[in-house]
C-alpha cells in the first residue's frame, strides 16, 4: 500500500507534465523559446475549443522547430476542426517525410482522404484516394470508397435522387476492381447491387414513359406508332441487359450472407440491407476519422 501510494503522485504529475507542458518542459526549457511558447499557447487554446487559434499557434511552433513530430497531427486535427481542411492536409502530408514504412505513408494519405470525405468534399477525397492507388493500385479500401463516392453522386444513396448514369457506371467499375481482387468482399457487392438497382429503376421508368407515349399515339399515325414502339423496345433492351447483372449480384450476396450465417440458424437469410433505399454498406471499411485523431495535448 505504501509503495503504491509513494509512486502514484509522482506518476500522475509526470503524466500531466507530458500532456500539458511545464516550466521544465524539455527540450524547450528556455521560456523564451518560440517553439515552446506557441506550443503551450496552442494547448491552452485547444482546451477552450478555439480550434483556429490552436492550429495557428501550433503551426508557428512547428515553424520555429520542425522536429516536433508529435505536434503535426495535433495541428492538423485543430485545423480540420476549424474548417481549414487544406491546411490540415498539407500538415499531414509533411509527416510522410519522417515516416519510414511505406504503409505508414499510405495511411497518412488515406487519413487525408477520409478527412475530406467526412467534411463533404468528395472531390478532394477522390484526389487523395487516387494518390493511394498510384502507390498501391489494388488497395481495396480506396477502390471501395471511390465506388461509394461515385455511387452517391450517381443518386444510388437516395430513392428520390435522379440517376446519373456515368457516375453509376464508374461506381460499378470501382466495385468490380475490388471484387476482381477479393470476390468475397461483401461491402462492394452490396453497393454494386444498389447501383445496379438504381440503373434498373432508371430504365424501367424510361420504359414506362415510352409505353405511355406509344399508347397515346393514334393508330392511324403508323410512323409515329412505330417510332414510339421502337423506343419502348430500346428501353426493354437496357432492362434485359441489366437483369443478369442484378441477378448475379443478388446470388453472390445471398451466398456470402449464408456463409456468415451462425451455425444452426434456421430463420432464413436476411437481405443484408440491399434495398435501394437503405443506403447500403459503408464504403471502404475505413473509420472515416478526422485528421490525426489527436487530442491536441489536452
Amino acid at each position: 500500500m505504501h509503495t503504491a501510494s509513494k509512486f502514484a503522485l509522482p506518476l500522475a504529475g509526470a503524466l500531466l507534465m507530458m500532456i500539458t507542458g511545464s516550466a521544465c518542459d524539455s527540450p524547450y526549457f528556455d521560456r523564451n523559446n518560440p517553439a515552446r511558447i506557441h506550443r503551450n499557447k496552442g494547448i491552452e487554446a485547444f482546451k477552450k475549443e478555439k480550434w483556429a487559434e490552436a492550429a495557428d499557434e501550433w503551426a508557428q511552433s512547428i515553424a520555429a522547430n520542425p522536429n516536433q513530430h508529435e505536434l503535426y497531427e495535433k495541428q492538423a486535427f485543430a485545423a480540420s476542426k476549424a474548417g481549414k481542411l487544406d491546411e490540415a492536409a498539407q500538415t499531414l502530408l509533411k509527416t510522410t517525410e519522417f515516416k519510414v514504412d511505406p504503409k505508414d505513408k499510405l495511411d497518412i494519405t488515406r487519413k487525408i482522404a477520409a478527412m475530406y470525405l467526412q467534411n463533404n468534399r468528395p472531390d478532394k477525397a477522390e484526389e487523395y484516394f487516387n494518390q493511394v492507388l498510384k502507390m498501391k493500385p489494388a488497395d481495396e479500401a480506396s477502390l471501395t470508397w471511390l465506388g461509394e463516392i461515385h455511387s452517391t453522386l450517381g443518386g444510388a444513396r437516395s430513392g428520390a435522387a435522379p440517376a446519373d448514369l456515368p457516375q453509376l457506371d464508374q461506381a460499378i467499375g470501382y466495385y468490380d476492381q475490388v471484387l476482381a481482387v477479393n470476390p468475397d468482399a461483401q461491402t462492394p457487392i452490396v453497393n454494386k447491387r444498389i447501383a445496379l438497382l438504381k440503373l434498373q429503376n432508371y430504365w424501367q421508368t424510361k420504359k414506362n414513359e415510352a409505353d405511355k407515349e406509344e399508347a397515346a399515339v393514334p393508330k392511324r399515325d403508323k410512323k409515329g406508332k412505330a417510332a414510339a414502339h421502337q423506343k419502348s423496345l430500346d428501353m426493354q433492351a437496357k432492362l434485359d441487359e441489366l437483369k443478369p447483372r442484378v441477378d448475379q449480384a443478388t446470388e453472390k450476396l445471398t451466398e456470402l450472407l449464408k456463409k456468415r450465417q451462425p451455425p444452426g440458424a434456421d430463420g432464413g437469410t436476411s437481405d443484408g440491407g440491399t434495398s435501394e433505399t437503405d443506403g447500403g454498406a459503408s464504403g471502404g471499411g475505413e473509420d472515416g476519422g478526422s485528421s490525426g485523431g489527436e487530442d491536441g495535448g489536452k
Side-chain angles (χ1 to χ4, degrees):
M1 290 293 293
H2 292 293
T3 303
S5 61
K6 179 181 178 181
F7 288 102
L9 185 59
L11 179 58
L15 288 171
L16 184 62
M17 289 168 61
M18 287 172 62
I19 295 171
T20 62
S22 73
C24 300
D25 201 0
S26 180
Y28 311 107
F29 182 77
D30 179 6
R31 289 180 180 275
N32 296 319
N33 187 308
R36 180 182 184 279
I37 292 171
H38 289 296
R39 188 181 77 251
N40 289 341
K41 283 184 177 180
I43 291 172
E44 292 305 313
F46 191 93
K47 288 178 179 178
K48 298 173 183 176
E49 298 187 356
K50 296 180 178 179
W51 313 121
E53 183 179 335
D56 182 61
E57 292 291 348
W58 283 336
Q60 292 184 66
S61 182
I62 291 170
N65 181 0
N67 292 321
Q68 301 177 88
H69 294 177
E70 78 288 348
L71 196 56
Y72 284 74
E73 289 201 15
K74 295 175 182 178
Q75 194 279 337
F77 179 72
S80 70
K81 293 286 283 184
K84 300 179 178 181
L85 302 183
D86 292 341
E87 178 182 325
Q90 290 306 309
T91 299
L92 285 173
L93 282 175
K94 290 176 183 176
T95 68
T96 61
E97 297 173 7
F98 43 83
K99 300 290 184 182
V100 178
D101 190 338
K103 181 182 179 299
D104 292 336
K105 295 178 184 290
L106 280 177
D107 287 342
I108 291 296
T109 309
R110 287 194 195 97
K111 189 177 292 186
I112 295 171
M115 175 191 71
Y116 278 116
L117 199 59
Q118 191 176 50
N119 286 275
N120 199 29
R121 289 292 307 278
D123 55 329
K124 295 294 290 187
E126 182 173 11
E127 176 185 329
Y128 282 96
F129 280 129
N130 279 323
Q131 286 188 26
V132 174
L133 293 180
K134 288 179 181 178
M135 295 179 276
K136 186 180 178 183
D139 186 66
E140 290 184 37
S142 295
L143 288 168
T144 304
W145 274 118
L146 285 167
E148 177 65 8
I149 288 170
H150 288 282
S151 187
T152 300
L153 293 174
R157 286 291 170 258
S158 170
D164 185 320
L165 273 57
Q167 294 284 3
L168 291 170
D169 286 338
Q170 197 165 354
I172 292 166
Y174 280 121
Y175 296 139
D176 281 341
Q177 288 185 62
V178 181
L179 294 168
V181 177
N182 182 5
D184 290 339
Q186 184 169 315
T187 295
I189 197 64
V190 168
N191 291 346
K192 176 184 176 180
R193 183 177 180 275
I194 292 170
L196 287 168
L197 287 171
K198 188 72 177 185
L199 286 172
Q200 190 178 56
N201 182 68
Y202 172 85
W203 290 115
Q204 185 62 62
T205 300
K206 293 294 184 182
K207 171 71 165 58
N208 294 342
E209 291 173 354
D211 289 344
K212 288 181 180 179
E213 289 178 16
E214 182 181 357
V217 177
K219 291 183 178 180
R220 62 178 179 276
D221 184 2
K222 294 183 179 180
K223 185 176 180 180
K225 200 76 168 177
H229 183 66
Q230 184 58 52
K231 185 176 181 181
S232 177
L233 292 176
D234 292 341
M235 300 304 102
Q236 186 61 52
K238 294 289 187 181
L239 288 169
D240 292 342
E241 185 272 331
L242 275 171
K243 188 177 185 305
R245 298 171 67 190
V246 174
D247 291 345
Q248 183 182 33
T250 301
E251 290 170 7
K252 182 62 180 179
L253 180 57
T254 301
E255 174 191 330
L256 293 177
L257 291 173
K258 284 182 178 178
K259 287 181 180 179
R260 288 163 172 75
Q261 193 174 27
D266 59 0
T269 304
S270 68
D271 65 359
T274 58
S275 67
E276 183 182 349
T277 58
D278 70 357
S282 62
E286 296 286 319
D287 61 9
S290 56
S291 66
E294 295 289 336
D295 63 1
K298 285 184 70 176

